[in-house]
């Protein structure tokens, strides 16, 4: 299947510990060390409550993500699920936001690494050295150096979450917590009480503000979903890894915050004052207060390790999201390049890292990056809950994969909490909202300008190869199929099946009876209409369709077809015509194409009773990559799924076309064909000034031709000279497509 090509291009090599490594690498350490000072500054010791509440929201969200990821184990995370449940345009918006979320998170951890590294270097007692490393430019250079290192690493190996870094920082945190608890049990109760008073120094709004600033610290479990295509036994591994990531993270966060806010402050001091004076390094100073220089350096070491592992995890996840989008052509196809030697998405890694490096130069500080990251992740998590509920409600198959409990109450609670916190965050930090809006505008312009047409064609092919995608989106496309010849019903129903996928698609079989004043004549016509309808119904049932039938009486069949198409708001209109060159038929067809709002597909069979599934060789002429690509892709992919015939894509260019242009168009046509048809196809670019004769010659070597038409205008017909000449001179079956 086309939807699985990306998964197949990157092997499933990651087990439970590798998946945990991605989650723990992104979650544990980086967020809390970079943003704990901000949280304590606005809420005091009640920052502990903020982290507990964030943890609850994150666990609820992880349950929704685990359900989607285990049922759809493909890389891309929220974008992949959005593409299954929502429209292509909305899915792109979701993917663009999710990609940006990981990009901004990577910026946060790159800047955090720079800050911790500079602070550590400033402790070296060398004259003048402290002034040099204290320059803001120096920390930025360190951040860029870390990005460059992991870029090189990720182009040569699949992300494993940085196992050694993860183990190292977990050991450091365990020592910090154990040492703090040892001091805590020896500390007078009066000092503990004083350090926690007032507990809610910022009030309720302070707790909510701390939640907004630090929610990014819960990020990590979602990155496991972004790499789902590389995880072994994903149905069981992904839920365990997601919940395990949060359990490990909260097991470190909560006791660490408690220790820091109690024994981490000296008598007479408060964690609020300490955090306001040292927002980025407050935990290092707090550790020094109860473990001396040893604790101070432990935090610095943990901070450096944590920032680096989180940076690696987010660069890895962001590159996989962009890879998935590139495979779907919602981003440039160049980003889907896989290195032949290492099997890594090298272009996606480089582009992702380049954007992160640019953002490092733009965003002013760690707090701004954290605020923007938290806001964007809250939005993506809210969308995740919505998508999960849509996918669950539209699913008709019972699966054995993980299911989130207490549906739909739990995801509704999670979605509401994420939205409320995002709104509060946007009000408190308007710059975060501005950054997000600016990114969406850039994405919208790029998508409409460069990607939407190719993406629509690929999406149509995916729906034809996997009709379940249409069901998951809650669509019910209606195809109008006028019927008159029972011998042709089977092939007509097959094409209708391509336009309206089984189970979810709807087909309206229309039989038109022309009135007569003669009783015997009307009885004969009604009987014939019943026979045709019955035969078409039988063919429909065998194809998996459950069509509606409509019999009408009308003097003028062409006008009646137009009326029914408009009244029933049909998405597609399928006509079976034996003679396209008849003047009356041609005129009525042109009038119909111009007047209806439906896509029009015209099917000419070579002889009565011909079956489309018997076609062994199919020709698909491609003049350009225009609007009819979606229907052409859907029909071609459905035919390949059914009988896997030989398929040939051709493009005819002028004889004097430069060799370089021919080669370039051949590459484009090859990419297009491979995205429409997952099997082997033939591709040829033919230099020939006589387009019509070349096309007729090619068609006579094939059983079926699938050809798109231009849009009709006041001066130009939908069925132009090329189409009519082909219909007159070719003996092959023909499918002409006119898309509104």
């Amino acid at each position: 299947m086309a939807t699985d090509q990306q998964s197949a291009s990157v092997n499933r090599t990651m087990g439970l510990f590798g998946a945990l490594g991605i989650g723990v690498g992104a979650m544990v350490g980086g967020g809390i060390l970079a943003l704990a000072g901000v949280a304590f500054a606005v809420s005091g010791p009640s920052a502990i409550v903020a982290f507990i509440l964030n943890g609850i929201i994150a666990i609820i969200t992880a349950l929704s993500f685990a359900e989607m990821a285990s049922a759809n184990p493909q890389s891309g995370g929220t974008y992949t699920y959005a593409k299954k449940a929502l429209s292509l345009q909305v899915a792109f918006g979701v993917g663009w936001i999710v990609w940006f979320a990981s990009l901004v998170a990577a910026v946060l951890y790159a800047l955090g690494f720079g800050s911790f590294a500079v602070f550590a270097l400033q402790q070296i007692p060398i004259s003048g050295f402290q002034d040099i490393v204290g320059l803001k430019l120096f920390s930025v250079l360190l951040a860029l150096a870390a990005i460059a290192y992991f870029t090189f690493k990720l182009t040569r190996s699949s992300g494993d979450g940085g196992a050694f870094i993860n183990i190292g920082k977990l050991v450091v945190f365990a020592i910090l917590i154990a040492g703090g608890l040892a001091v805590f049990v020896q500390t007078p109760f009066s000092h503990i009480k004083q350090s926690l008073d007032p507990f809610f120094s910022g009030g309720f709004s302070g707790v909510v503000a701390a939640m907004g600033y630090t929610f990014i610290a819960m990020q990590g479990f979602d990155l496991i979903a972004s790499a789902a295509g590389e995880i072994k036994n994903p149905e069981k591994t992904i839920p365990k890894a997601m919940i395990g990531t949060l359990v490990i993270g909260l097991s470190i966060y909560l006791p660490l915050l408690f220790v820091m806010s109690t024994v981490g402050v000296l008598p007479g001091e408060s964690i609020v004052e300490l955090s306001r004076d040292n927002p980025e390094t407050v935990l290092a100073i707090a550790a020094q207060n109860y473990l001396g220089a040893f604790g101070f350096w432990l935090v610095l070491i943990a901070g450096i390790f944590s920032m680096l592992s989180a940076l690696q995890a987010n660069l890895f996840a962001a590159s996989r999201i962009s890879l998935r989008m590139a495979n779907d052509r919602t981003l440039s196809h160049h980003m889907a390049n896989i290195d032949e030697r290492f099997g890594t998405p090298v272009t996606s890694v480089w582009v992702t890292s380049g954007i992160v490096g640019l953002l490092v130069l733009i965003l002013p500080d760690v707090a701004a990056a954290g605020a923007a990251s938290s806001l964007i992740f809250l939005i993506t998590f809210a969308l995740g809950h919505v998508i999960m509920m849509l996918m669950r409600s539209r699913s008709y198959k019972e699966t054995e994969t993980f299911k989130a409990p207490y549906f739909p109450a739990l995801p509704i609670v999670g979605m509401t909490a994420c939205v409320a916190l995002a709104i509060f965050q946007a009000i408190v930090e308007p710059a975060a909202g501005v950054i997000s809006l600016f990114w969406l505008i850039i994405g919208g312009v790029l998508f409409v300008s460069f990607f939407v047409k190719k993406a629509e064609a690929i999406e149509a092919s995916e729906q034809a190869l996997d009709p379940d995608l249409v069901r998951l989106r809650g669509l019910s496309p209606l195809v109008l199929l006028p019927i008159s010849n029972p011998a042709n019903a089977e092939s007509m129903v097959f094409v209708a099946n391509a336009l309206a996928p089984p189970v979810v698609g709807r087909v309206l079989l229309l039989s038109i009876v022309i009135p007569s004043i003669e009783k015997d004549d009307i009885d004969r016509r009604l009987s014939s209409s019943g026979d045709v309808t019955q035969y078409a119904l039988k063919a429909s049932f065998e194809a998996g369709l459950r069509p509606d039938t409509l019999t009408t009486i009308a003097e003028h069949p062409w006008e009646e077809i137009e009326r029914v198409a408009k009244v029933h708001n049909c998405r597609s209109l399928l006509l079976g015509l034996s003679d396209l060159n008849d003047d009356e038929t041609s005129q009525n067809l042109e009038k119909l194409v111009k007047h209806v709002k439906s896509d029009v597909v015209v099917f000419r069979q070579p002889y009565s009773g011909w079956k489309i599934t018997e076609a062994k060789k199919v020709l698909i002429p491609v003049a350009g990559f225009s609007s009819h690509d979606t229907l052409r892709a859907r029909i071609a992919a459905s035919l390949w799924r059914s009988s896997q015939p030989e398929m040939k894509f051709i493009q005819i260019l002028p004889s004097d076309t430069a060799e370089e242009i021919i080669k370039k168009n051949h590459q484009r046509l090859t990419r297009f064909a491979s995205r429409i048809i997952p099997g082997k196809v033939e591709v040829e670019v033919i230099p020939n000034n006589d387009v019509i004769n070349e096309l007729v010659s090619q068609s006579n070597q094939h059983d079926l031709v699938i050809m798109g038409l231009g849009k009709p205008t006041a001066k130009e017909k939908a069925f132009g000279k090329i189409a009519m000449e082909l219909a007159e001179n070719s003996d092959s079956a023909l499918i002409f497509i006119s898309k509104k």
Side-chain angles (χ1 to χ4, degrees), residues 60 79 87 92 181 184 277 299 391 396 458 513 516 569 596 619 639-640 698 725:
I60 295 173
Y79 164 73
S87 69
F92 167 78
L181 293 176
F184 174 81
D277 294 337
V299 171
M391 294 180 78
Y396 69 95
I458 291 167
V513 178
S516 174
N569 194 28
V596 298
L619 180 69
L639 188 58
W640 189 90
Q698 290 283 340
E725 289 282 349

Side-chain angles (χ1 to χ4, degrees), residues 54 419 489 644:
N54 277 344
V419 170
Q644 298 189 6

Side-chain angles (χ1 to χ4, degrees), residues 526-546:
L526 287 171
S527 177
S528 176
S529 173
D531 292 341
V532 171
T533 301
Q534 183 177 0
Y535 195 91
L537 281 172
K538 180 181 178 181
S540 298
F541 290 150
E542 292 175 352
L545 295 170
R546 299 295 182 267

